[in-house]
Amino acid sequence: MTDTLEFNEIYQEVKGSWNDGRLRFSKQTVVYKNSKTGKVDSISVPELAHAQWRRVCLGHGIKLSTSAGHVYKYDGFKDTDFEKISEYFKANYKVELIEKDMCVKGWNWGTAKFNGPLLSFEVSDSPVFEIPLSSVSQCATGKNEVTLEFHQNDDTEVSLMEVRFYVPPTTGDDGADSVEAFAQNVLSKADVIQATGDAVCIFRELQCLTPRGRYDIRIYPTFLHLHGKTFDYKIPYTTVLRLFLLPHKDQRQMFFVISLDPPIKQGQTRYHFLILLFSKEEDINLTLNMSEEEVERRFEGKLSKNMSGSLYEMVSRVMKALVNRKITVPGNFQGHSGAQCITCSYKASSGLLYPLERGFIYVHKPPVHLRFEEISCVNFARGTTTTRSFDFEIETKQGNQYTFSSIEREEYGKLFDFVNAKKLSIKNRGFKEKKGMKTNEDMYSDSDDDQHDAYLERMKQEGKIREEANDSDDSEAGSDESFNPGEEDDDIAEEYDSKASASGSSGDADSDDDRKKKPVKKAKVVKERKPRKKEKKMKDSNAPKRPMSAYMLWLNSNREHIKSENPGISVTEISKKAGEMWKQLNKDKKEEWDEKAEEAKREYERAMKQYRESGGGSSFSSKRERKKGRKWEERKLKGRSAAVKEKEGPTANESFKSREFISSEESSSESDRGKTRKRKGSDDEEEITSTPPSSEESGSD
């Protein structure tokens, strides 16, 4: 038989939510590690008293009871695991694994038994259900009723609010009322915070970043009380997961971060982290409200009755002793400036990213803690706004992505070496190794070439379009400058007929005409580059509306929820917030909205088909054809008017002819003369009448 037994995907119920993790049985301890929070439950083998094997909703489960009265329940085992676990328990724990069946009769009348931290409702000595008393937030009594209210968990879709027990009016052996006795048994184990007695110590006017404000912190033996001008928070020590003590980049301040699960609530806002900001120069003399013997007995030398030192040291020391958890500090990482953090931005807010020995933590708005165990891969991406910075992307195994942007370029080498030393998967490492990774700058420049960037692809495409447009302009300019007499005379004669034939008279005239053609070419290019007016598409108001995309359907469904969570948010901020939420939405949720979008598309196609079959859209198409017909008639009329102007003959400016022009006409070929003789008499008369004044004008000039 092996020394240990390990099981994956074992579930633990925490306030109505199933959290998966790993369970390991060894000869010394039973250890369960929560995959979501990283919290570890450790049971020493000598403390193990009873073990039960039960059929539950997630297959089979184990219920372990200790001699101290604690109960641990783990579900998700297979039927075939019973024999293996039972033999291991007998051989190593000397505890028999007993099979216990649950009652499924559906009766609501039975016996309530208090077994340590559990309230068990049984029918015929078989448990129907069990209530962890630590989940009870309030207990109220009536005439013959006891009402239990429960803590709410934000991770659950459906939560149990309250349970009412009817207690028969009987009197116990000691003469106490049965209802009051029932309520006292519940309250003795319930997680009901009652501020009775004096506080161990009080810290006045501490600056708190989340929730923002200044609070008096009163330290009680079992909970922490934050008292502010507007809000009060009572935080049980059992909800504290981790403690962090982080130095600020300016080396003059300190962050003290308390991780909470479940979080504290303020309306619809949840605070998973309590962040306190201290100045290193602020000192305090602290006296505990306890006797020296009681301090020694309770804290075993961790605290003393009278203490003095920096304020942040005193707060962290007291919290460590009361919560009984280690304080996490930054490891060996040092950035480019020598600080143990990196300045960056997350969700448009500037903050500090601390690489720790077992994860990353970002402070302060919003605070984020990511353990290495839940990170799938990281990516170094080029900054979208400037080349002097880069983005650091972290993708978790649950599919969530966190992007820390605007990190200085000089921090790249230090951060890459840290990630590489922690053996985290780097998404674009293969490309760097292919290039050789000569310097940090070379690694940065090729950081995200293997990753599809939609914005970068769009910019490249627009650049190609501009290059093609410039190439076409250069080719047009080359054709204008090349010797092509026919095309040049035809183009220029439209606006400058008086100089049309002079282009081929002599070499000097050619050079002069070339100089004169340059402004003509520019005018022509400007004329061609005028943007064409796009025809406005006519919309059929009677046609069915086009279907919305999956994102728009999701946005319309969650718009009011976003408004309620963020009062006073503007329209643009709603779109930005919705885009971030849609990006972080898991794959299953997105598939649901994709299916709704596909269904809407099919409905639109069916409605459009029926609309067309019923004759819809015919009047709309006829209107569009009539509009096109009118435009075609207008173009034809413009063409006819231009032709009439050409037949009417040259204008006053075009009728001018110099002596050189007349002499060049007389020395032309016989074929040209034959062509001029074939003209109509009316044209000849117009030319004769227009010639004398032009010659007089030339003479006067």
Side-chain angles (χ1 to χ4, degrees), residues 229-496:
K229 294 181 179 179
T230 309
F231 299 101
D232 276 9
Y233 303 98
K234 294 178 181 178
I235 305 172
Y237 295 142
T238 55
T239 64
V240 176
L241 286 180
R242 294 176 184 85
L243 302 174
F244 301 92
L245 188 62
L246 309 171
H248 198 280
K249 193 173 184 178
D250 59 7
Q251 301 299 326
R252 294 181 298 175
Q253 295 175 309
M254 296 291 292
F255 292 109
F256 185 65
V257 183
I258 302 174
S259 176
L260 304 173
D261 185 38
I264 56 178
K265 304 176 183 179
Q266 180 178 315
Q268 296 297 324
T269 308
R270 304 291 185 268
Y271 295 104
H272 292 269
F273 293 88
L274 178 65
I275 302 179
L276 302 173
L277 183 62
F278 299 95
S279 174
K280 285 186 175 181
E281 300 176 354
E282 192 173 358
D283 297 331
I284 187 175
N285 295 321
L286 184 64
T287 301
L288 300 183
N289 190 18
M290 301 172 69
S291 63
E292 293 183 359
E293 293 79 8
E294 190 176 0
V295 171
E296 182 65 26
R297 177 179 55 81
R298 183 178 180 84
F299 301 111
E300 299 177 354
K302 297 178 183 178
L303 298 177
S304 58
K305 181 176 177 60
N306 298 308
M307 297 180 291
S308 62
S310 300
L311 179 59
Y312 73 90
E313 290 181 353
M314 294 296 101
V315 173
S316 59
R317 187 176 174 183
V318 170
M319 288 298 299
K320 180 182 178 181
L322 287 170
V323 178
N324 197 20
R325 294 193 181 277
K326 296 180 180 179
I327 295 179
T328 304
V329 297
N332 299 324
F333 175 82
Q334 279 193 347
H336 175 72
S337 61
Q340 294 179 299
C341 58
I342 296 173
T343 304
C344 62
S345 297
Y346 177 65
K347 292 187 176 180
S349 297
S350 179
L352 299 173
L353 179 66
Y354 290 85
L356 308 175
E357 289 300 319
R358 295 185 180 180
F360 295 96
I361 186 170
Y362 172 83
V363 291
H364 79 287
K365 189 176 181 179
V368 177
H369 178 234
L370 298 170
R371 294 176 289 113
F372 291 155
E373 299 172 356
E374 57 182 338
I375 295 176
S376 173
C377 63
V378 300
N379 181 35
F380 295 88
R382 183 179 292 110
T384 57
T385 57
T386 177
T387 57
R388 298 186 62 85
S389 65
F390 67 96
D391 297 346
F392 183 56
E393 300 173 352
I394 299 177
E395 187 174 340
T396 63
K397 294 178 182 178
Q398 287 78 19
N400 300 325
Q401 185 171 347
Y402 301 86
T403 302
F404 303 96
S405 58
S406 302
I407 303 176
E408 294 180 359
R409 187 172 181 174
E410 290 77 13
E411 303 284 1
Y412 181 84
K414 299 283 187 180
L415 185 58
F416 182 83
D417 293 341
F418 175 82
V419 171
N420 202 21
K422 296 301 180 183
K423 298 180 181 180
L424 296 177
S425 175
I426 303 176
K427 185 181 291 186
N428 50 3
R429 175 189 287 176
F431 191 80
K432 295 192 189 72
E433 293 177 350
K434 192 184 298 182
K435 292 293 182 182
M437 293 190 297
K438 296 180 181 179
T439 62
N440 291 339
E441 293 182 359
D442 293 336
M443 288 189 298
Y444 167 71
S445 61
D446 297 332
S447 62
D448 64 341
D449 286 349
D450 62 337
Q451 183 186 9
H452 176 71
D453 190 340
Y455 179 78
L456 185 61
E457 292 295 331
R458 190 167 73 249
M459 292 297 102
K460 287 180 179 179
Q461 190 67 22
E462 292 181 1
K464 288 181 181 180
I465 294 173
R466 293 193 190 99
E467 289 178 1
E468 291 174 359
N470 293 334
D471 292 341
S472 63
D473 294 342
D474 294 340
S475 63
E476 289 176 2
S479 63
D480 290 339
E481 292 172 0
S482 62
F483 183 74
N484 197 350
E487 293 183 5
E488 287 180 355
D489 293 344
D490 294 341
D491 292 339
I492 300 171
E494 292 179 1
E495 296 183 5
Y496 303 95

Side-chain angles (χ1 to χ4, degrees), residues 26 66 77 120 155 185 205 282 344 364 447 506 512 523:
S26 64
T66 64
F77 294 95
S120 177
D155 296 333
N185 285 327
E205 292 291 324
E282 192 173 358
C344 62
H364 79 287
S447 62
S506 61
D512 294 335

Side-chain angles (χ1 to χ4, degrees), residues 84-97:
K84 182 169 52 175
I85 298 174
S86 179
E87 292 177 0
Y88 189 88
F89 273 38
K90 288 180 181 179
N92 297 284
Y93 299 161
K94 308 302 181 185
V95 174
E96 184 179 358
L97 187 62

Side-chain angles (χ1 to χ4, degrees), residues 543-549 600-601 604 608 612:
K545 292 185 179 180
R546 290 182 176 274
M548 289 187 288
S549 62
K601 185 178 180 181
Y604 168 74
M608 200 66 189
R612 287 171 180 166

